[in-house]
Amino acid sequence: MFTPVKNQKVYEVVIEQIKEMIKTGKLKKGDKLPPERELVEELKVSRASIREALRALEILGLVESRHGDGNFIKNNFDESLLEPLSIMFMLEESSPKDILELRMVLETETAMLAAKRIDNDTLKEIKDIIDRFKATTDEKLNTELDVEFHHKIAQASKNLLLVNILSATSVLIDTFISNARYKIMQKEENKEKLVSQHESIYEALSNKDASSAAEEMKKHLEFINRSIFKS
């Protein structure tokens, strides 16, 4: 399964072998890695080197350690993307507008893909989110529903890379633009506009109209961006 390690930085070679096994499909999301003692025997390295490699993979967000249960390839990579994006944002001294511009580029194309690939079950779920959004006066719940609305559209694109990147971007917005969504929801006229925009996006998705879905999403995000910077 593994190849013994010789004359190299041991923990780096262990990492490369695990990454190669993921690339070739020998390890998949959620799979449990062999116990440390087995890795020591197969790779012919010290337990300290194995632990160093596993710790590095955990920091990278590829592996998670479950106390008393072992080490696993992660099932969800949202946080793995969020951490480096957050650090890059701070080191590059980026502005909140950079996050929103990234979201604009990604979500308009995602809406286009979703219109082509969406199924009836997902359409029903999106319609239900809109109905709940219209019915509630709880701003916190409205904010959560708005996040869910965008997440469902991302899922409908059937592109897991986009889903994970957009999830990380969504958290970045809340991290660096304090209470952005909540501020928008506090104004009743904004909620009415958002309902109308959500319904227009839904109609485009329902009609499988990719160009309209992208255009309506663009209008929606432009409104959100203007509202955030007025707040």
Side-chain angles (χ1 to χ4, degrees), residues 1-3 5 8-24 27 43 53-54 56-57 60 62:
M1 189 175 182
F2 289 90
T3 305
V5 175
Q8 296 183 56
K9 284 187 177 179
V10 178
Y11 81 95
E12 290 181 353
V13 179
V14 175
I15 290 171
E16 287 305 315
Q17 290 203 34
I18 291 174
K19 285 165 64 178
E20 183 64 25
M21 290 174 70
I22 292 169
K23 188 165 67 176
T24 58
L27 283 173
L43 294 165
L54 291 173
L57 288 167
L60 288 171
L62 189 61

Side-chain angles (χ1 to χ4, degrees), residues 183-198:
K183 288 178 181 177
I184 295 171
M185 300 301 174
Q186 283 182 316
K187 298 178 181 178
E188 184 60 33
E189 65 270 23
N190 283 350
K191 183 184 173 183
E192 291 173 5
K193 289 177 183 176
L194 288 173
V195 167
S196 175
Q197 291 164 5
H198 285 178

Side-chain angles (χ1 to χ4, degrees), residues 214-225:
E215 183 60 28
E216 294 300 333
M217 180 63 78
K218 181 182 177 184
K219 291 177 186 175
H220 173 58
L221 293 173
E222 285 175 344
F223 170 73
I224 289 174
N225 294 356

Side-chain angles (χ1 to χ4, degrees), residues 93-157:
E93 298 181 356
S94 301
S95 74
K97 281 190 175 181
D98 291 335
I99 302 173
L100 298 174
E101 286 173 358
L102 172 64
R103 185 184 180 196
M104 175 74 74
V105 170
L106 291 174
E107 289 208 53
T108 51
E109 291 300 315
T110 300
M112 184 178 290
L113 287 175
K116 296 175 182 178
R117 300 171 180 176
I118 199 163
D119 55 50
N120 289 332
D121 287 342
T122 307
L123 276 170
K124 186 176 181 302
E125 289 171 353
I126 291 173
K127 181 65 166 62
D128 180 61
I129 292 168
I130 294 172
D131 290 343
R132 289 161 61 203
F133 187 89
K134 289 162 69 174
T136 183
T137 57
D138 183 334
E139 279 94 357
K140 185 175 184 298
L141 178 57
N142 276 330
T143 300
E144 292 169 359
L145 289 169
D146 187 63
V147 174
E148 190 178 353
F149 174 80
H150 288 273
H151 185 67
K152 283 293 178 187
I153 294 172
Q155 286 181 323
S157 75

Side-chain angles (χ1 to χ4, degrees), residues 1-2 14 18 21 27 31-51 53-54 63-66 68-73:
M1 189 175 182
F2 289 90
V14 175
I18 291 174
M21 290 174 70
L27 283 173
D31 281 358
K32 184 176 181 178
L33 293 173
E36 287 182 10
R37 64 179 180 278
E38 288 186 23
L39 292 173
V40 168
E41 291 170 5
E42 288 193 48
L43 294 165
K44 309 300 183 192
V45 297
S46 68
R47 180 163 284 195
S49 295
I50 294 296
R51 287 179 176 171
L54 291 173
V63 167
E64 63 178 336
S65 177
R66 301 176 192 169
D69 203 13
N71 297 293
F72 295 79
I73 303 298

